[in-house]
Amino acid sequence: MALKIASRFRRLLQRPGSIDLGPYERLTQLVGEAEESVQPLTDEELTEAATELRTTGGLHEDEQIEFLALARDAGKRALGERAFDGQVVGALAMLQGRIVEMATGEGKTLAGAIAAAGYAIGGRKVHVLAVNDYLAKRDAEWMGPVYELLGVTVSHVGQASTPEERREAYQAEVCYVPVNEIGFDVLRDRLVTDVADRVTVAADVALVDEADSVLIDEARVPMVLAGATRSEALDDDVVQLVRTLRAGVDYEIDGDGRTVALTDRGTDNVEKALGAKAEAAASDEAAAGDEAAAGDEAAADEPAADEAETDNSVTDESEDAESEDAEAEDAEAEDAETDSVTEDVVSVPEFNLYADENVDRLTQINVALHAEVLLRRDVDYLVRDGKVSLINNNRGRVAKLQRWPDGLQAAVEAKEAVPISDSGEILDSITVQALIKRYKTLCGMTGTAVVVGESLQEFYDVDVAVVPPNTPNVRKDDQDRLYLTVEQKNEALVKHIGVVHESGRPILIGTHSVEESEQLSDKLEAAEIEHVVLNAKNDAEEAAIIAEAGVPGTVTVSTQMAGRGTDIRLGGKDESHDKEKAIELGGLYVIGTGLHASRRLDDQLRGRAGRQGDPGGTLFFASLADELVTRYSVSSGLRPHPDDTGRLTDRKSIAMLEHAQRVADGANAELHRTTWQYNRLTGQQRAILLETREKVLTDDLAATEFAERAKERYDELVDEVGEDVVNAAARRIALGHLDRRWTDHLAYLADLREGIHLRSLAGGIVHLKPIDEFNKSAIASFDTLIEDAWKDAAESFGTAEITSEGLDEEASGIPRPTATWTYLINDNPFGTEADRILGRLRNAIKPESVAEPEEILDEEFDQDDLPEELRDADDEDLPEELREAADDAEDDADDAKSGKKD
């Protein structure tokens, strides 16, 4: 009842999750009535009945009722699971193009399979987009018997799938595939030179599992196809030099911990070290030259000496005279040599790190410093099997194909002394949003959709339907516990775990990183608390570990991965290990070691407890020294008053924690929005190029163009090798130049975006918007791209090596990439100029430490603390995020003053 009232209230306010479920619930009642006529059917008759429903125009209402009755009975026969009414409602909502929110344990996988089969019966091809290989394979195999009974073909694609396996899998009516894999396959298909090499099919229906994770979290990370290998190995001297630099002396880290920069002193020290190296190299070169000169001189003297030995007419007196002259000449030569060396030393110019000729060395210093200082092993990445593997912060899993751009990957590899991996130029890229926009219909399911409902509506134009649980949720969520310092928080955390563990209640602990999970493991070992650890280092055992987390007495320490997609049943996987005892103890107890950047991620962890009406409980610990607060809080004047354990209960401190989380959530939403804005125009330009490329690939557009642009050459070749051979060669030449021009355009856009904020500041931060400047330059660059590609292609056609065997691409100067690879790229790892300005502002208005109450002093914000370009700006001229930060600071200051008066 409460959920229905909440849903009506949301509808009144037109808020996310306000879809009226009434029509779906009425249809579900009719499905229940139709089910009686299905139960007597044999398996073969059920399959035949489903086949008779097949159409090409989608299922109408009456057909949906009959299909859902068949599907519900198929689930019961194949899996022993009869879909609840809520699962049928969810399937109906997905068949209407909705994102469905269903609580953990409510059977999203079966509901999604029923919806996918419904689309397939209606003549549509469905891609069920999963977050990883494991879930794609598991769900395709798990739901396979249901699809088989309904006469629907099903398949799955994984990282290890070969091109032929992928091609075959995509032909199935329902294909389970990780979102990254379908994205990379689309990118590869865009570069084929023969239609037969394609593996994907036309995008039709996307049914997204864990929709919030895929559509929101993953959407901030573009997928990239690269080629033309090259090395980005760092100079070892640079790596060693950076390790000698000192924090606060040679470099400074911004308040957000996102950027690091050399100080003036650090620059001087780097320049001295690099200058000394250059001087030593010059001296070595000079010494090598002297040795060579001395050798030549000795060789020249040898004949003269021989002649002197054979000349008997030389007198002793003349010999003495010659000896004196020789000594004088040697002395003069020594003086000259000394002068020369002195001149060489003096002539070595003073090393200027920011000179144009040293730009490569400056870049190496910057990326090496970023890798050394800001990227942490077992937090941002793992080192295993001699490779650097990035960790996906959204899920706590190893991101096997993810890497950093712009030499940063090579810098981390140099830091960890592992082989430097190949790099190269970007051939094409695509965002999750652009990938999803290809589909005619979007639907999906997740446990936390309402929180991001507005974003789903903004970016994907899709609504959220909230399906109430089959059994009311009785989980108890305790108030977050806030502490002053991390040490006090951890001490209270371990103590609380020990108390709960003594009772035998199963505990699942969610941590933020591999490093934190292992540090907590060490503390639990010291406290003699038995436990198991689940993190990116042992993700292969994820399902097995998490499935047993509900056994009494079990303590499971996990990263954010927490086994999403795997049920945690009380009593273990088969519910045979003291399930009743687990229920009596209060069910699974979830503990968070800190709040996440989004409340939605906290809710995902909470959702691991209280499955299908089971009892459960949750509690989160946090501190004012957690990264969430130190990075995203802009409050000042806070005077916390902890108790003896360091715990804070005052409203101001708790509000500060909640505010930091809201700011972090907003920052991530803005990053998604920024990625979308900068890729929107690029996507439109790509669509124009792909339209031309498709005509070249499937028709004889290239031959037609060359017959006009190079008629004599075309006719000559047709006479020599035949029209078919010439047309095929023309196609490859045109595709090669179109792809080359697009690759160059992407490289230009990457450089343009990197410096666009500086360009906007040059005209005054309030006068030029970076995105407007970017679009203006991008349009100008693309304006003649296709025509220029045709001109280049026609020129190449005029000189190309074309024989009866076809085109010799390499000899004709049109080589294709010898190898391609795919990866995910973290967008803008160094932050934008706006980020850096906001960071400086935040540093200026917040206290440096909240470690001890007596250390917190009132701070006055002065105009001098602002960047130069903002000092004279009026409030209304400031960017929105800076106005909000300043307003927050003023409010906090007013609160602090009124508190003093009271």
Side-chain angles (χ1 to χ4, degrees):
M1 178 62 70
L3 284 174
K4 289 186 176 180
I5 294 175
S7 177
R8 290 170 183 168
F9 187 65
R10 282 196 298 268
R11 282 203 301 279
L12 180 64
L13 299 177
Q14 295 185 327
R15 301 298 298 274
S18 60
I19 298 299
D20 184 9
L21 299 181
Y24 304 144
E25 291 169 343
R26 286 191 291 274
L27 286 176
T28 299
Q29 291 177 355
L30 296 176
V31 170
E33 296 170 5
E35 198 175 354
E36 295 179 6
S37 62
V38 173
Q39 292 172 350
L41 299 177
T42 65
D43 289 354
E44 292 76 13
E45 289 172 338
L46 189 150
T47 304
E48 185 179 346
T51 303
E52 290 176 357
L53 285 174
R54 282 186 172 273
T55 180
T56 56
L59 298 177
H60 299 297
E61 187 172 292
D62 291 342
E63 295 169 328
Q64 283 186 353
I65 294 171
E66 184 178 352
F67 162 74
L68 288 169
L70 292 169
R72 184 182 240 178
D73 203 60
K76 182 179 179 180
R77 298 184 190 196
L79 307 176
E81 297 182 10
R82 177 183 177 274
F84 301 131
D85 285 355
Q87 289 170 290
V88 176
V89 169
L92 279 166
M94 283 185 266
L95 285 169
Q96 294 296 318
R98 314 288 192 194
I99 299 294
V100 175
E101 176 174 295
M102 297 175 67
T104 300
E106 289 297 312
K108 292 188 290 292
T109 305
L110 179 56
I114 292 174
Y119 277 115
I121 295 290
R124 311 284 298 274
K125 274 192 178 293
V126 185
H127 290 158
V128 182
L129 303 183
V131 293
N132 57 44
D133 285 24
Y134 164 72
L135 290 178
K137 183 175 185 294
R138 186 204 69 176
D139 292 351
E141 293 177 348
W142 182 16
M143 296 293 120
V146 178
Y147 287 113
E148 185 177 355
L149 275 174
L150 294 172
V152 175
T153 58
V154 63
S155 63
H156 66 88
V157 170
Q159 250 185 322
S161 300
T162 65
E164 188 54 45
E165 289 170 340
R166 292 169 187 266
R167 188 176 295 109
E168 183 179 351
Y170 286 125
Q171 293 301 319
E173 293 171 302
V174 177
C175 179
Y176 285 75
V177 54
V179 63
N180 294 340
E181 290 304 312
I182 181 65
F184 293 144
D185 284 337
V186 167
L187 290 176
R188 282 186 285 257
D189 279 359
R190 286 177 175 176
L191 286 179
V192 299
T193 57
D194 191 321
V195 174
D197 293 334
R198 285 176 173 165
V199 299
T200 61
V201 295
D204 191 3
V205 178
L207 194 157
V208 187
D209 191 12
E210 303 289 4
D212 60 325
S213 180
V214 171
L215 300 179
I216 302 300
D217 299 332
E218 303 292 343
R220 298 193 294 267
V221 185
M223 291 167 276
V224 174
L225 179 68
T229 60
R230 58 186 171 85
S231 174
E232 285 188 339
L234 284 184
D235 188 332
D236 187 60
D237 290 338
V238 169
V239 177
Q240 298 302 325
L241 172 58
V242 164
R243 288 176 178 170
T244 66
L245 301 180
R246 296 160 295 171
V249 177
D250 297 309
Y251 62 84
E252 292 180 346
I253 304 172
D254 78 334
D256 286 347
R258 287 192 63 184
T259 60
V260 58
L262 291 172
T263 62
D264 291 342
R265 183 171 177 178
T267 300
D268 291 341
N269 289 337
V270 169
E271 287 180 337
K272 285 178 183 177
L274 294 178
K277 180 186 175 185
E279 185 175 341
S283 297
D284 291 344
E285 186 177 346
D290 290 342
E291 287 181 10
D296 293 342
E297 192 174 316
D301 287 345
E302 284 179 6
D306 292 341
E307 290 176 9
E309 290 176 4
T310 58
D311 189 359
N312 296 327
S313 65
V314 178
T315 64
D316 292 341
E317 186 176 346
S318 62
E319 286 178 1
D320 292 340
E322 288 178 5
S323 177
E324 290 176 2
D325 291 342
E327 289 177 3
E329 289 176 2
D330 288 343
E332 290 178 6
E334 281 185 21
D335 292 341
E337 187 177 345
T338 301
D339 291 342
S340 175
V341 172
T342 303
E343 287 176 5
D344 287 343
V345 173
V346 172
S347 65
V348 174
E350 183 177 348
F351 192 91
N352 180 1
L353 186 59
Y354 294 93
D356 291 342
E357 64 271 16
N358 294 324
V359 65
D360 290 339
R361 184 54 57 90
L362 174 62
T363 300
Q364 286 193 345
I365 291 289
N366 282 333
V367 295
L369 188 61
H370 189 104
E372 182 69 28
V373 176
L374 298 184
L375 298 179
R376 297 165 293 171
R377 185 169 179 165
D378 290 342
V379 176
D380 301 297
Y381 63 92
L382 296 176
V383 178
R384 63 181 184 184
D385 301 327
K387 296 180 180 179
V388 170
S389 300
L390 274 67
I391 297 174
N392 186 313
N393 292 328
N394 295 325
R395 300 195 298 271
R397 295 180 175 88
V398 168
K400 296 179 182 178
L401 298 177
Q402 188 169 338
R403 60 185 295 154
W404 289 290
D406 304 327
L408 192 55
Q409 180 77 18
V412 176
E413 291 166 338
K415 168 187 175 182
E416 298 294 345
V418 299
I420 305 299
S421 59
D422 289 331
S423 184
E425 61 186 356
I426 294 176
L427 303 179
D428 204 355
S429 67
I430 191 170
T431 61
V432 168
Q433 190 163 341
L435 177 69
I436 295 298
K437 289 290 187 181
R438 300 169 60 253
Y439 290 89
K440 299 175 183 176
T441 302
L442 169 64
C443 61
M445 53 204 174
T446 184
T448 47
V450 171
V451 181
V452 290
E454 292 180 356
S455 295
L456 291 172
Q457 179 63 45
E458 176 185 357
F459 297 124
Y460 301 99
D461 193 26
V462 63
D463 293 322
V464 174
V466 180
V467 178
N470 181 58
T471 307
N473 184 358
V474 296
R475 186 186 69 231
K476 181 182 178 183
D477 298 324
D478 292 334
Q479 177 71 36
D480 301 339
R481 293 190 185 180
L482 178 62
Y483 291 82
L484 189 65
T485 68
V486 173
E487 292 75 17
Q488 291 168 331
K489 177 190 75 171
N490 288 337
E491 183 178 350
L493 171 66
V494 173
K495 184 177 180 180
H496 185 71
I497 292 171
V499 170
V500 177
H501 179 58
E502 284 182 5
S503 71
R505 188 176 185 180
I507 304 173
L508 173 65
I509 307 165
T511 63
H512 287 197
S513 67
V514 174
E515 181 184 50
E516 187 182 10
S517 68
E518 295 185 340
Q519 289 174 352
L520 178 58
S521 177
D522 292 339
K523 291 181 174 64
L524 294 177
E525 282 186 10
E528 299 182 349
I529 299 174
E530 290 189 14
H531 61 282
V532 292
V533 178
L534 170 61
N535 58 36
K537 289 185 177 180
N538 63 339
D539 54 355
E541 297 91 43
E542 173 185 352
I545 293 174
I546 207 70
E548 301 303 320
V551 176
T554 301
V555 177
T556 306
V557 178
S558 173
T559 51
Q560 173 59 20
M561 63 202 312
R564 289 190 76 184
T566 302
D567 267 350
I568 300 179
R569 298 173 182 265
L570 297 182
K573 184 177 181 180
D574 55 5
E575 301 184 353
S576 63
H577 295 84
D578 295 325
K579 177 179 180 180
E580 294 304 319
K581 181 180 178 181
I583 293 174
E584 291 174 8
L585 293 170
L588 181 67
Y589 192 55
V590 171
I591 300 176
T593 61
L595 299 186
H596 293 87
S598 170
R599 198 74 181 179
R600 175 172 52 88
L601 299 179
D602 293 342
D603 291 342
Q604 288 173 4
L605 183 57
R606 286 191 178 92
R608 308 306 291 147
R611 170 189 172 274
Q612 291 190 2
D614 285 340
T618 68
L619 173 64
F620 277 74
F621 286 75
S623 85
L624 291 186
D626 286 350
E627 183 180 0
L628 174 69
V629 180
T630 58
R631 181 171 177 178
Y632 293 104
S633 171
V634 292
S635 299
S636 62
L638 182 67
R639 292 180 174 275
H641 298 286
D643 61 18
D644 294 339
T645 65
R647 185 175 177 182
L648 299 167
T649 56
D650 60 286
R651 182 190 61 81
K652 186 86 172 180
S653 297
I654 294 173
M656 180 179 179
L657 179 65
E658 294 172 349
H659 174 74
Q661 191 173 54
R662 288 196 301 273
V663 172
D665 209 5
N668 285 330
E670 187 59 30
L671 181 56
H672 181 181
R673 189 171 291 108
T674 300
T675 300
W676 171 63
Q677 287 177 337
Y678 278 96
N679 282 278
R680 183 167 52 177
L681 177 63
T682 308
Q684 294 170 353
Q685 293 176 339
R686 182 184 289 106
I688 295 171
L689 179 82
L690 288 176
E691 184 179 359
T692 300
R693 197 182 194 284
E694 184 68 13
K695 291 178 181 177
V696 172
L697 186 64
T698 57
D699 297 329
D700 291 329
L701 177 60
T704 303
E705 286 286 337
F706 294 153
E708 295 179 1
R709 295 173 183 263
K711 186 175 186 332
E712 292 184 9
R713 173 66 169 163
Y714 181 82
D715 293 340
E716 177 186 335
L717 286 172
V718 169
D719 291 338
E720 291 179 4
V721 299
E723 187 175 11
D724 291 343
V725 174
V726 174
N727 289 357
R731 182 179 300 115
R732 285 182 173 268
I733 291 172
L735 291 174
H737 282 286
L738 284 169
D739 294 342
R740 179 71 260 168
R741 282 285 178 173
W742 179 248
T743 297
D744 292 342
H745 182 62
L746 289 179
Y748 169 73
L749 294 184
D751 291 339
L752 177 65
R753 182 174 176 186
E754 187 172 333
I756 200 66
H757 288 84
L758 297 177
R759 183 185 299 187
S760 67
L761 289 176
I765 193 169
V766 297
H767 298 119
L768 299 176
K769 290 184 178 180
I771 185 62
D772 292 342
E773 287 296 291
F774 176 86
N775 287 343
K776 185 189 302 181
S777 299
I779 290 171
S781 172
F782 184 79
D783 192 37
T784 60
L785 186 148
I786 294 178
E787 176 58 28
D788 289 343
W790 280 120
K791 289 178 181 178
D792 294 343
E795 185 177 336
S796 294
F797 182 76
T799 59
E801 294 285 338
I802 302 175
T803 66
S804 58
E805 300 296 324
L807 172 69
D808 186 335
E809 292 183 339
E810 190 163 351
S812 303
I814 317 168
R816 307 291 297 178
T818 54
T820 61
W821 62 94
T822 56
Y823 57 87
L824 299 173
I825 185 168
N826 281 329
D827 192 48
N828 205 3
F830 300 105
T832 65
E833 185 64 18
D835 293 332
R836 291 187 281 274
I837 294 171
L838 183 57
R840 290 165 65 185
L841 177 61
R842 185 180 294 115
N843 290 341
I845 63 177
K846 77 174 182 181
E848 295 181 358
S849 171
V850 292
E852 297 295 339
E854 58 269 20
E855 292 180 4
I856 301 176
L857 305 175
D858 288 336
E859 298 254 350
E860 259 189 58
F861 182 68
D862 191 88
Q863 279 284 324
D864 292 337
D865 292 321
L866 275 172
E868 290 183 8
E869 63 270 12
L870 298 180
R871 289 178 186 171
D872 298 326
D874 296 331
D875 287 346
E876 58 269 18
D877 293 334
L878 288 173
E880 183 177 354
E881 65 269 23
L882 301 189
R883 287 202 306 272
E884 292 176 352
D887 291 343
D888 287 340
E890 289 177 6
D891 292 343
D892 289 338
D894 292 341
D895 290 344
K897 290 178 182 178
S898 61
K900 287 180 183 178
K901 292 177 182 178
D902 293 340

